Amino acid sequence: MAFNKRVKIKELLEKDYADQDITIMGWVRTKRSNKNVSFIALNDGSSIKNFQVVADPNLINEETLKKASTGACLKVSGKIVTSQGSGQQIELNASKIEILGEADPEKYPLQPKKHSLEFLREIAHLRVRTNTFGAVFRVRHALAFAVHKYFNDKGFFYIHTPIITASDAEGAGETFKVTTFDLKNPPLTPDGKIDYKADFFERETNLTVSGQLEGELAAMGLADIYTFGPTFRAENSNTTRHLAEFWMIEPEMAFYDAEDNQDLAEDFLKYIISYALENCKDDIEFLDKRAEEEESTKKADKRSEMGLLGRLQFVVENEFQRLTYTEAIDVLKNSNYNKKKKFQYLIENWGVDLQSEHERYLVEKHFKKPVILTDYPKEIKAFYMRQNDDGKTVAAMDILFPGIGEIVGGSQREERLDLLTKRMEEMNIPTEEMWWYLDTRRFGSTPHAGFGLGFERLVLFVTGMGNIRDVIAFPRTPGHAEF
Amino acid sequence: MAFNKRVKIKELLEKDYADQDITIMGWVRTKRSNKNVSFIALNDGSSIKNFQVVADPNLINEETLKKASTGACLKVSGKIVTSQGSGQQIELNASKIEILGEADPEKYPLQPKKHSLEFLREIAHLRVRTNTFGAVFRVRHALAFAVHKYFNDKGFFYIHTPIITASDAEGAGETFKVTTFDLKNPPLTPDGKIDYKADFFERETNLTVSGQLEGELAAMGLADIYTFGPTFRAENSNTTRHLAEFWMIEPEMAFYDAEDNQDLAEDFLKYIISYALENCKDDIEFLDKRAEEEESTKKADKRSEMGLLGRLQFVVENEFQRLTYTEAIDVLKNSNYNKKKKFQYLIENWGVDLQSEHERYLVEKHFKKPVILTDYPKEIKAFYMRQNDDGKTVAAMDILFPGIGEIVGGSQREERLDLLTKRMEEMNIPTEEMWWYLDTRRFGSTPHAGFGLGFERLVLFVTGMGNIRDVIAFPRTPGHAEF
């Protein structure tokens, strides 16, 4: 006999169920009782909003009402009626309450009070039952779905690039090793080295840092592809911006040049943020208020000028300002911030990498728009970026957002076999190991481009949360692999 | 200046571009020339269908035409006209052809002839440029999108469960170790053991075998969730059905019992297969013919009774037959196959695990419908499955399909803390390490259920390919981590 004949709270709030007998199920957030009546706020995860259950002690026995404490799971049947109280338009007059699972008030860690995010991180298996994390994970879902919908609607194909890989070609950082060896006694070669020929893949393997190179292979046949998968960095960074395991979105397009790439990235970012604004209105309003409260605890000079909703609209409504790295250096060099030494790192010479403070200055103070910076010095960018005719710069782009700086990095790729091979040799990238990558330039090469978006950075931006550990269900960071 | 002003071939074939001047780009599949004209079949990955370019040697110079060999990448501009030849309705009269990238016929491995799948696996970076693999990856994309669309439309939330994990709680098999240790000199504790406290995560970690347990945590707050991510098995299985790295879809629903779970799984499978049939018509027709040709090379008694399209319609159009394991054992025991010893493994006693031959017999010979088998003996199923009142069976379900046997495995989960703890102890699952899993039964527990679908198994079924290495872009198997 099927059990799940419930109506979701989201649907109750959106459609007309007046005077109907229905069943809802969910977890108790709060309960207020007096002699004549109990009010139970029930949440089922479908919405930030709780639904008010009204329980008459003449109909519902005392023992049941006692067990319906914060955190307990209930099945409630009754009639939808117009609410007598303020705070909600309709409520459920309970004719029957069944306790599906209790939550001993002496032991249940999530009581109806403000818990710190640090504490909630320690009970990440339960934090999804709070308002803040319910909202974060619903927004995260909406953004993920918007990514798939955007690319599908445009005729892109989703490619699953490998997680276990033998190449750290990009040199993007420290990698995690993957092995089936007994670490105590790994087999050795006669000259005393680890004998990787005896490992599972018969070679040294690690966790991928990017799906881009494999994405390029697929784009050289399917033309428009994207990846959306986990990537890994074994960097010992204990910051609010770094995870050891995070999800990346990497579209790669044959027949796109740098400008096509910029057009796509701007359109894409506006689409997915607009999608979240439209589909997660209640959640984002809640998170906006939450962020505002957080801001109000900071010193005046540390507060953001824009609120969360303001930042989201800033991105959606403005045409992104496009300029070259060289132009940006001029702007920064001549800025008051540079002259008055307000920057921690002063801009003196062409060629330096920009810091977050410089990126935010361009976006928030100078242009007051999201910014696409292009044509960076080749020395500070990866080997696969297309070399410009000036011999000094490459066709890179970084997209800069308010509050966080870089959100997207991309480039037109070097499609010319001779120039690519030469650059790889200059940068000590092993061209022989990468024969398959070079094959795409050997056979049927074409201008192509792509970019990468760190998904958690995006969720951080759209939810206004302050720590990247709070926008993924079970964060992996140095010393942390719980759950 | 934007480069990508092309029209995709899929769009050219679907919309009316008669007499318009347009540009297409793509890779040459074949070229036929005579004195007066060259016909170039161009493919851009958007469709299984090539587009015919007609090149007049009076307009296009000889050198260009020579370079437009199989595999070369072209940009072609001209007018869309009604085709003079058979095989296509419209074609492009080229006014200009630009060679974007050559493909030396002496060196390019993909010549216009039949290549073996084994050979193509060795050049997986190029195989996406063939008809078969183009079709496979387009169908794979459509199935992945259908998964997201189905769950999103039903109000499920996509959860990214961790890839690196400290628990192999399910005991689902051999895992890959993840470490940043120098394998030559891992740090040791004073008593000579590996000192995992000194590793990146300060504990022993491996690659996940399933996101289910973490999915359950999320379902206990968001109610309806699903995962879609990579999972790993370090089993040394060199078969056509096993990958070391594969993608799994695992929905998990609070307030669902076993029957709700079966209803959802049946509806879900029918939806995503129907979606592929509707959205990948040309590709599936091509793959159907391809499978038919493959079958015709087999001995008569090894051939499938149904073709690819037949199998897909078989699933979409039939109500799945539901019966218990105990009933299935009766059917199998009394079958002619058992009596005449046509089964390799004869069915004698209740309690044995079913083999693929038994599953296929039930689906293809006996019921002639997809089958949902339920209520398996607890000894052959995992610890977390809900214990039935008979004390012998658990509320498991396997869904069986023609040709491949099991495609989905799931269960109602044991929500009762005492019964779950007891079963874990019986099966030597460490209850202390799994405090977080047991917490969901301690606080606000509720009936819930879920299932798992191996995505590559699904793609194998829908594409009719014979080897699972041919339905993922860059397969990982023992000894293979190329690209």
Side-chain angles (χ1 to χ4, degrees), chain A residues 145-170:
Chain A
F145 185 70
V147 167
H148 288 296
K149 183 162 162 50
Y150 179 84
F151 286 123
N152 182 70
D153 289 354
K154 274 199 131 54
F156 281 57
F157 303 105
Y158 181 27
I159 295 288
H160 294 100
T161 48
I163 312 301
I164 300 172
T165 170
S167 72
D168 171 26
E170 221 187 319

Side-chain angles (χ1 to χ4, degrees), chain A residues 1 8 102 125 140-141 152 160 163-164 177 179 181 184 192 200 224 245 256-257 439 444 476 479, chain B residues 1 4 8 102 125 140-141 152 160 163-164 177 179 181 184 192 200 224 245 257 439 444 476 479:
Chain A
M1 197 179 60
K8 288 192 183 185
E102 299 176 42
H125 63 307
R140 186 178 167 114
H141 163 76
N152 182 70
H160 294 100
I163 312 301
I164 300 172
K177 291 172 185 143
T179 182
F181 281 153
K184 196 79 206 310
F200 188 91
D224 292 337
E245 173 181 311
Y256 271 51
D257 68 9
D439 260 10
R476 268 64 181 118
Chain B
M1 197 182 59
N4 188 31
K8 288 191 182 185
E102 300 177 40
H125 63 305
R140 185 177 167 113
H141 163 76
N152 181 70
H160 295 100
I163 312 303
I164 299 172
K177 292 171 186 142
T179 181
F181 281 153
K184 197 76 205 306
F200 188 91
D224 292 337
E245 173 181 312
D257 67 8
D439 261 8
R476 268 64 183 119

